[in-house]
């Protein structure tokens, strides 16, 4: 087993995913390619749904934060598994709608939704809009007025805590572009304003404290702060929040050194801390919503590349260059994220070489990782990077005019293309002069 039970090495010494030989997959679908084990995504959905139902009752609805991996097919998978989704843009809403995702089970997020986004969401019948700020609240009230509709909303609150993760993926502290801080009075002010909106039905509050969190403590802090806020709101306005969305953020292992989380126990533990927090705050337990992104899809995916060169610079380092890089995986460039990589066609050989894995773009920072333990490689080998299901395809670009790789889904011993590889013609599709 390599990091996850769905990854193995076969008798040829090749890496397998969902029982399929990755070297054969690379030959069939080309490289670079994202390969995702659909069974893993479905199993993760079931883990969250079962645990949430056990902890919060039959009405529980975990949401998949679809910014982590967004394509039409993922909305179908998530709909079949009975989860809701969170969308953050008109493009995600459109994709969900085209995939037939039930609009009532969509939560619409974002710190700067345009009027067009808000109108689109209301036209689609999006169940809940998570309002970020007072400008948006006013815009939504007037759009609802024009459409003669009412809209269910939550308000995004920043509880002001630091979940011990990379700064770029922290979202719950007071100095944040997201939401309304409790300590500044902003949260109470927007709550009063929302309660005065005739077309908007305030149901509760939302917070999302960050990503790649491996322990329950930050959720305990968030639950405590949010439930005390709910109690304060009740005291000042008489409004009792019926729903509290505690966001996503549970971590996944990218290397053997990362901790491993049992998501079912995490849901149970979050339920317990929320219940205790409600008791301490003296308010009835609201409906708790969780919205995992990364932990539903990251582990399911790997990226396959072809090695183009191995360059040894004596006294410095070794570079293995691959036929993709920051356009298909910008996470090292953005956050110095760590990954596990191996040579898929030599997976049973020892990883006794050290290399920087470089992409093919004209940027020195175009790296997948530095000082990575890996097997010795030669041009033509297949290099696999593990745990690329989240925030890879979703963040992909066409930098250097590179076509985006396909997504191939593996299930029951078969592989099928879910998203086609972009062609050069696709790159020219919108160029009109
Ligand atoms: C990104 C995001 C999530 C999901 O975060 P993960 O770390 O991928 O679980 C959930 N809710 C909101 C509002 C987000 O922005």
């Amino acid at each position: 087993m390599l990091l996850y039970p769905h990854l193995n090495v076969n008798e040829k010494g090749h890496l397998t995913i969902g029982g399929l030989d990755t070297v054969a997959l690379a030959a069939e679908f080309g490289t670079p390619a994202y390969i995702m084990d659909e069974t893993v995504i479905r199993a993760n959905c079931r883990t969250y749904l079962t645990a949430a139902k056990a902890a919060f009752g039959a009405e529980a609805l975990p949401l998949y934060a679809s910014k982590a991996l967004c394509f039409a097919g993922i909305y179908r998978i998530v709909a079949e598994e009975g989860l809701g989704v969170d969308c953050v843009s008109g493009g995600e809403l459109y994709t969900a709608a085209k995939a037939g995702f039930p609009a009532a089970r969509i939560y619409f997020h974002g710190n700067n939704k345009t009027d067009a986004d808000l109108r689109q969401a209301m036209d689609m019948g999006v169940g809940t809009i998570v309002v970020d700020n007072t400008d948006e609240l006013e815009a939504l009230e007037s759009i609802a007025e024009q459409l003669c509709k009412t809209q269910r909303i939550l308000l995004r609150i920043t509880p002001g805590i630091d979940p011990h993760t990379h700064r770029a993926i922290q979202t719950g502290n007071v100095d944040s572009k997201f939401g309304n801080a409790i300590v500044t009075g902003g949260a109470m002010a927007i709550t009063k304003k929302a309660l005065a909106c005739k077309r908007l039905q305030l149901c509760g509050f939302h917070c999302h404290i960050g990503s790649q969190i491996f322990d329950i403590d930050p959720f305990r802090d968030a639950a405590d702060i949010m439930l005390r806020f709910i109690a304060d709101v009740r005291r000042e306005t008489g409004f009792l929040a019926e729903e509290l969305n505690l966001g996503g953020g549970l971590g996944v292992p990218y290397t053997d050194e990362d901790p491993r989380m049992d998501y079912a126990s995490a849901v149970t533990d979050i339920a317990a801390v929320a219940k205790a927090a409600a008791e301490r705050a003296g308010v009835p337990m609201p409906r708790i919503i969780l919205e995992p992104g990364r932990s539903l899809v990251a582990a399911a995916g790997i990226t396959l590349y072809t090695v183009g060169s191995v360059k040894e610079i004596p006294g410095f380092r070794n570079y293995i260059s691959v036929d993709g890089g920051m356009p298909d995986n910008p996470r090292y460039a953005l956050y110095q994220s760590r990954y596990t990589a191996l040579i898929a066609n030599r997976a049973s050989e020892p990883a006794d070489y050290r290399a920087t894995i470089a992409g093919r773009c004209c940027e020195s920072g175009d790296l997948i990782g530095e000082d990575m333990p890996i097997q010795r490689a030669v041009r033509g080998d297949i290099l696999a990077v593990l745990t690329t299901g989240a925030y890879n395809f979703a963040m992909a670009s066409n930098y250097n005019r590179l076509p985006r790789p396909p997504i191939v889904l593996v299930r029951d011993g078969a592989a099928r293309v879910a998203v086609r590889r972009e062609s050069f013609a696709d790159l020219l599709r919108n160029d009109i002069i």
Side-chain angles (χ1 to χ4, degrees):
M1 171 177 128
L2 285 150
L3 217 49
Y4 294 103
H6 60 287
L7 303 175
N8 269 300
V9 179
N10 67 14
E11 65 292 346
K12 290 183 187 156
H14 294 176
L15 171 69
T16 64
I17 178 167
L20 296 183
D21 186 319
T22 56
V23 180
L25 290 170
E28 183 174 356
F29 298 103
T31 60
Y34 303 106
I35 315 286
M36 312 226 175
D37 189 332
E38 184 181 334
T39 311
V40 172
I41 298 174
R42 288 181 182 275
N44 287 337
C45 288
R46 285 170 205 176
T47 299
Y48 269 103
L49 187 61
T50 308
K53 283 190 166 161
F56 305 119
E59 299 285 277
L61 181 70
L63 309 178
Y64 164 55
S66 61
K67 74 175 193 281
L69 172 65
C70 181
F71 62 98
I74 196 81
Y75 290 104
R76 297 197 182 96
I77 292 171
V78 171
E80 282 170 18
E81 295 300 334
L83 274 63
V85 295
D86 120 20
C87 290
V88 297
S89 69
E92 287 187 2
L93 290 177
Y94 181 80
T95 308
K98 284 287 174 187
F101 197 89
R105 295 207 319 245
I106 298 178
Y107 281 61
F108 186 33
H109 285 278
N111 71 303
N112 187 13
K113 306 177 192 77
T114 64
D115 285 2
D117 292 337
L118 294 170
R119 193 164 286 119
Q120 178 188 355
M122 285 205 66
D123 281 340
M124 275 173 64
V126 161
T128 308
I129 297 181
V130 183
V131 174
D132 183 89
N133 55 70
T134 45
D135 289 315
E136 182 185 322
L137 187 74
E138 286 163 14
L140 185 62
E141 168 78 345
S142 86
I143 289 165
E145 191 67 51
Q146 286 158 27
L147 298 176
C148 294
K149 282 185 171 178
T150 56
Q151 177 65 51
R152 181 181 196 277
I153 64 165
L154 299 181
L155 294 174
R156 177 144 183 178
I157 305 299
T158 39
I161 56 176
D162 169 3
H164 312 293
T165 178
H166 191 288
R167 207 175 71 80
I169 50 179
Q170 277 174 20
T171 49
N173 27 11
V174 174
D175 177 8
S176 169
K177 71 168 186 166
F178 298 102
N180 305 274
I182 296 173
V183 291
T184 61
M188 185 64 79
I190 193 173
T191 302
K192 290 178 178 167
K193 219 170 162 115
L195 288 169
C197 290
K198 302 215 159 35
R199 294 278 175 184
L200 305 182
Q201 184 203 346
L202 179 64
C203 294
F205 302 100
H206 168 273
C207 68
H208 170 69
I209 51 180
S211 202
Q212 201 53 356
I213 300 168
F214 287 102
D215 62 71
I216 296 300
D217 291 347
F219 289 95
R220 178 181 294 111
D221 294 347
D224 254 328
I225 293 167
M226 293 299 287
L227 279 144
R228 258 186 281 137
F229 177 65
I230 286 172
D232 287 347
V233 167
R234 176 154 80 160
R235 215 168 302 118
E236 271 198 43
T237 69
F239 168 72
L240 178 61
E242 71 196 42
E243 186 168 307
L244 173 61
N245 181 327
L246 288 173
L250 294 178
V252 299
Y254 286 90
T255 71
D256 278 329
E257 284 143 40
D258 290 332
R260 276 153 199 281
M261 273 201 116
D262 174 341
Y263 303 119
S265 334
V267 171
T268 310
D269 293 347
I270 291 171
V273 299
K275 191 156 177 280
E279 276 163 20
R280 270 194 298 278
V283 290
M285 170 88 155
R287 192 162 96 106
I288 302 287
I289 304 264
L290 298 175
E291 42 187 23
R294 187 193 308 273
S295 54
L296 283 174
V297 295
I302 64 172
T303 307
L304 298 179
Y305 302 99
T306 301
V307 172
S309 82
V310 180
K311 191 179 289 182
E312 300 190 342
I313 309 178
F316 293 90
R317 54 169 133 181
N318 309 322
Y319 283 94
I320 296 179
S321 291
V322 296
D323 57 350
M326 65 189 285
D328 61 79
N329 183 357
R331 290 187 68 253
Y332 188 77
L334 277 173
Y335 325 115
Q336 296 77 54
S337 311
R338 298 181 64 220
Y339 282 101
T340 300
L342 64 152
I343 302 301
N345 52 307
R346 306 176 191 277
S348 51
E349 293 176 19
D352 57 4
Y353 193 64
R354 289 233 164 228
T356 288
I357 300 174
R360 58 173 297 175
C361 287
C362 307
E363 297 278 341
S364 302
D366 169 23
L367 305 175
I368 299 292
E370 293 177 88
D371 197 27
M372 295 173 81
I374 194 161
Q375 294 78 12
R376 275 165 197 280
V378 298
R379 181 176 169 89
D381 281 346
I382 302 300
L383 187 145
V385 178
L386 311 185
T387 330
T388 60
Y391 305 114
N392 272 238
F393 174 78
M395 286 186 163
S397 76
N398 291 123
Y399 184 49
N400 281 195
R401 212 60 163 169
L402 292 174
R404 271 178 272 243
I407 296 178
V408 176
L409 290 178
V410 167
R411 184 185 176 184
D412 299 332
R416 60 195 172 126
V417 175
V419 177
R420 245 195 316 268
R421 180 185 302 284
E422 278 180 336
S423 64
F424 289 145
D426 289 332
L427 297 174
L428 276 171
R429 199 175 42 206
N430 297 318
D431 295 17
I432 49 178
I433 54 170

